[in-house]
Amino acid sequence: MCQSAAKPNDYPQSEFGAVLDNYKRICYNVENAKAKYRSNDDKIDIMAVTKTVAPEKINFAIDQGITLLGENRVQEFLSKKDSYNKSAQVHMIGRLQTNKVKYIINEVSMIQSVDSLKLAKEINRLAVKNDRIMDVLLEINIGDEVSKSGVAADGLDELIYETAQLSNVRIKGLMAIPPVGCGEDMFERMHSIFLRVKENAVPNVSMEILSMGMSGDYELAIKHGSNLVRIGTALFGARNYMEG
Ligand SMILES: *Cc1c(COP(=O)(O)O)cnc(C)c1O
């Protein structure tokens, strides 16, 4: 039986001033999890997930030390990006329609949510056109949830093989959103897939990043090999979709 790891009430309400405390707590927890489960020289990146969050608050987080932002929605990102402090890198982490790639191709340094060859090909086409290389992660639907994006685990090898042929796309790792509260085996499964792909050493594919873990489960994710945790609520407070 799944037990919810994160109850919304566990997190501070959405107040600008709380962001610094939250950030400190997250850093502390990440360091603790690292000390407990990982080797000393492992590097674990903390991404700030920005959906519904005002640019001023995002810039405040950047001032505190955040260097990586995660964007879910193309439209929202485009309306906010000019206000962002440019010192942080931006990754697309949300479901991405092929017809929207053109809006972000020169705005993000990585697309974490690649889950089909069609999408990978469109990214490649626009990367060629814009004379750039786009780093990507392949997103796996590790919980086999109908509602979630991501390639099925048993379709991953084919997607890797096909995407690796594309001239201007570089596979840098894997991303997943394990079902909330559904426990360690999902994280462990992701980790073993990651290690298996790494071992296969496919040309043009480097398994550097395992992006998993959110506000409610990032310590668990770190235990199971994650080196990029994507944090929204625990950093910025509860999301207000009315304002978003
Ligand atoms: C919203 C979101 C997050 C952050 O979720 P929180 O639980 O608020 O930390 C992380 N990854 C993705 C893909 C998201 O859409």
Side-chain angles (χ1 to χ4, degrees):
M1 192 53 208
C2 297
Q3 213 182 13
S4 177
K7 293 184 246 47
N9 289 343
D10 289 349
Y11 300 114
Q13 290 312 299
S14 174
E15 283 158 28
F16 194 93
V19 173
L20 177 55
D21 286 346
N22 293 341
Y23 182 56
K24 282 186 185 158
R25 185 179 332 110
I26 294 161
C27 290
Y28 177 83
N29 291 341
V30 165
E31 283 308 308
N32 259 355
K34 205 176 106 172
K36 214 159 147 187
Y37 303 120
R38 303 282 290 274
S39 90
N40 232 344
D41 25 85
D42 281 0
K43 192 174 166 294
I44 293 161
D45 284 321
I46 299 170
M47 162 184 280
V49 176
T50 64
K51 58 187 179 241
T52 78
V53 180
E56 300 73 43
K57 209 163 166 183
I58 294 164
N59 287 339
F60 180 78
I62 293 171
D63 289 341
Q64 310 317 314
I66 286 288
T67 58
L68 188 56
L69 305 178
E71 298 291 330
N72 282 80
R73 302 171 182 133
V74 171
Q75 230 44 46
E76 181 186 337
F77 170 52
L78 294 178
S79 74
K80 283 159 50 176
K81 70 177 177 61
D82 290 340
S83 312
Y84 288 176
N85 179 330
K86 295 292 177 293
S87 66
Q89 293 204 19
V90 179
H91 292 182
M92 178 55 55
I93 61 171
R95 193 192 292 259
L96 182 59
Q97 291 170 284
T98 47
N99 63 357
K100 298 224 169 116
V101 178
K102 57 178 176 290
Y103 301 118
I104 61 156
I105 192 74
N106 285 322
E107 308 291 342
V108 301
S109 62
M110 186 181 286
I111 299 173
Q112 294 201 2
S113 42
V114 175
D115 63 355
S116 71
L117 183 60
K118 182 176 172 229
L119 177 57
K121 278 182 167 168
E122 177 63 0
I123 294 169
N124 187 63
R125 185 183 75 79
L126 288 162
V128 168
K129 194 173 160 193
N130 287 276
D131 194 23
R132 65 163 297 170
I133 302 287
M134 181 58 83
D135 290 343
V136 303
L137 303 183
L138 301 182
E139 180 180 353
I140 301 182
N141 185 353
I142 193 67
D144 278 326
E145 295 170 284
V146 199
S147 63
K148 291 261 179 79
S149 43
V151 62
D154 61 11
L156 177 67
D157 285 351
E158 191 182 340
L159 181 59
I160 288 177
Y161 178 77
E162 306 270 8
T163 303
Q165 318 290 318
L166 302 172
S167 62
N168 288 42
V169 168
R170 296 282 178 276
I171 301 173
K172 295 286 182 181
L174 303 177
M175 188 269 243
I177 311 172
V180 173
C182 267
E184 274 184 76
D185 50 336
M186 292 278 178
F187 288 89
E188 197 36 48
R189 204 167 147 228
M190 267 308 293
H191 193 203
S192 57
I193 293 171
F194 180 78
L195 293 175
R196 178 180 62 76
V197 174
K198 194 174 198 167
E199 227 163 72
N200 287 352
V202 182
N204 206 19
V205 175
S206 59
M207 284 292 119
E208 294 165 29
I209 300 174
L210 177 54
S211 170
M212 63 178 184
M214 319 202 301
S215 290
D217 54 21
Y218 59 95
E219 288 147 296
L220 199 59
I222 290 169
K223 179 177 174 187
H224 295 285
S226 169
N227 56 13
L228 195 162
V229 293
R230 309 179 308 265
I231 315 280
T233 323
L235 179 63
F236 292 119
R239 281 185 282 276
N240 185 341
Y241 281 98
M242 300 305 286
E243 285 172 11

